[in-house]
Amino acid sequence: MGRKRVSLKDIANELGVSISTVSRGLKDHYDISPELKKKIKDLAEKWNYTPNPLAMGLLKQKTNTIGVIVPDIVTYFYASIISGIESMATEHGYYIVIASSQESIKKEKENLRNLLDLRVDGLIVCLSQDTDTFEHFDEIIEEEIPLVFFDRICRQQEVSSVIIDNVSAAKELTIHLIQNGCKNIAHIAGPQHLNISKERIEGYKMGLNECRLPYRPELMVHCNLSIADAAKVTNELLDSNPVPDAIFGVNDTVIFSAMKEIKKRKLRVPEDVALVGFTDEFHATVVEPNLTAVTHPTFEMGREAFSLLLEDMDEKKENSVRQTVLQAKLIPRESSLKINYPSLSHK
């Protein structure tokens, strides 16, 4: 194996088994066959495998502190999830340390190193928009440091996570627009590598198909979730022929930016272009017209993320990977309701 320190992942890849199987085999766990245990131990000895001392310290020395990494700490979405995590942590005698990746994989890696230096007992993470490689998390997984992802996730076979049913919610949003008379529905998607982008695109296509509208690739664009990039792709859509009569955004921030560009052109929302968002930020009921959006059970997401981490940290339990899928709710408001629009009351 050369000079590189041998990891559990290296052994798992060589034997064609999971990292957790290798770990249990080295610990003589009863659910691993004697034959497989022997293969694991023989290869570990041959390759001079030794556990990471930092990881072992993390596993044995409790600090009652949990590290939380989020893309930002400004939006209501993440603030509410953090509140849910903290409420559950407090009930179980834990403190949380919050770090923001600022939507940067470089900053995310720095956050991880800093939190591990603080000897946190476990980690709860939402990936940055830039995170398209996961080696920095593989190291955490290999050494069995408790880890849970939420919303934007990776390594679903190895790490527990909390998400919403993005596919169903996106499908419902798309059908809602069609039911309000929209036919040229554009979708501003997020970065292609993010699970939320893929799942919401899938739901968008399913909604179109269910209502017998064709999927048109020219009506789907990607942006990097920034206000500037959302404005750029919105103008590209508005310059296309035909102009979309509706835009579905991957999140509310994207749609707030789109709304601004639409108004600059003296187009009306929703009469000319209907708009729907995803996450239901606080400003959804402040902008005019109020924004139709999918609201997430954010506080519950936070509590569930900590609950999954607590299970992972419990040495008495046999840890298994779980994914909790929560349901989101469509909140129709004036930005998408073309039918009987003048008589609508605020919700």
Side-chain angles (χ1 to χ4, degrees), residues 196-347:
I196 60 168
S197 300
K198 297 174 184 176
E199 292 161 6
R200 292 170 196 178
I201 288 170
E202 182 182 350
Y204 162 68
K205 291 179 177 179
M206 288 176 64
L208 292 174
N209 183 63
E210 186 163 312
C211 296
R212 299 184 178 179
L213 288 179
Y215 164 64
R216 292 159 57 191
E218 67 272 19
L219 287 177
M220 193 180 75
V221 294
H222 289 269
C223 76
N224 65 11
L225 305 182
S226 71
I227 292 172
D229 205 36
K232 175 179 174 290
V233 297
T234 298
N235 281 303
E236 290 173 0
L237 289 169
L238 295 176
D239 288 336
S240 63
N241 186 17
V243 174
D245 56 10
I247 300 176
F248 160 23
V250 67
N251 64 19
D252 287 2
T253 302
V254 164
I255 286 299
F256 293 149
S257 181
M259 183 182 286
K260 184 176 180 181
E261 298 307 309
I262 289 166
K263 289 182 176 180
K264 282 182 182 178
R265 296 184 180 224
K266 307 300 182 185
L267 295 172
R268 300 168 300 164
V269 178
E271 295 92 337
D272 298 317
V273 185
L275 297 176
V276 295
F278 219 101
T279 56
D280 199 29
E281 287 290 332
F282 169 76
H283 291 92
T285 56
V286 175
V287 295
E288 185 60 40
N290 287 184
L291 181 66
T292 292
V294 167
T295 186
H296 292 53
T298 47
F299 190 78
E300 184 183 352
M301 286 179 74
R303 288 182 63 85
E304 179 62 16
F306 185 86
S307 179
L308 290 176
L309 188 70
L310 201 62
E311 288 185 15
D312 201 11
M313 293 188 297
D314 188 346
E315 296 177 357
K316 297 178 183 178
K317 290 186 178 180
E318 174 60 28
N319 295 329
S320 60
V321 177
R322 290 177 50 198
Q323 182 174 85
T324 301
V325 182
L326 302 176
Q327 296 303 310
K329 182 180 179 183
L330 172 63
I331 308 295
R333 299 190 182 101
E334 287 88 341
S335 71
S336 65
L337 294 164
K338 295 190 176 189
I339 299 172
N340 297 325
Y341 172 69
S343 63
L344 281 171
S345 59
H346 287 260
K347 291 188 179 183

